[in-house]
Amino acid sequence: MKKIEDLWVKVSYEVRLGDLEMPQEVFSEIIEANGRDIDTMGGLDKYPKASEWLSENIEEADCMEWKAEVIELREAE
C-alpha cells in the first residue's frame, strides 16, 4: 500500500435531461451562458438563477459519463 498525503482530483461528468419545465428567467440565463461555465458553488456567478436551478435539478447519480483529472499527488514521507 502507498501512503498518500494529498490527492487533488478534478471530476467532470455529463448529464442529459429531458421533458423539463423551468422559469423563463432560468431559461434566459442558460441560453446566455451557452458554451460558458456556470459556477454552481462560487456564489459570485453571472447566472444566479441558472446556477440555483441546475444545483437543485442535477445530481451526480444522473451522470452518463465522467472523467477524473489528477491535479496534484503528494506521497507521504
Side-chain angles (χ1 to χ4, degrees), residues 13-68:
Y13 60 93
E14 296 178 17
V15 175
R16 185 175 201 144
L17 305 172
D19 195 24
L20 304 170
E21 290 187 19
M22 64 180 62
Q24 178 62 44
E25 54 205 0
V26 172
F27 178 79
S28 297
E29 287 187 7
I30 288 175
I31 292 297
E32 185 180 335
N34 191 17
R36 298 182 189 97
D37 287 342
I38 297 175
D39 182 9
T40 58
M41 299 298 288
L44 301 173
D45 193 51
K46 184 177 177 182
Y47 312 105
K49 299 287 186 193
S51 174
E52 180 181 359
W53 190 91
L54 292 169
S55 293
E56 291 174 356
N57 289 278
I58 294 178
E59 298 178 5
E60 192 171 354
D62 298 327
C63 82
M64 296 169 51
E65 293 184 29
W66 68 277
K67 63 182 178 181

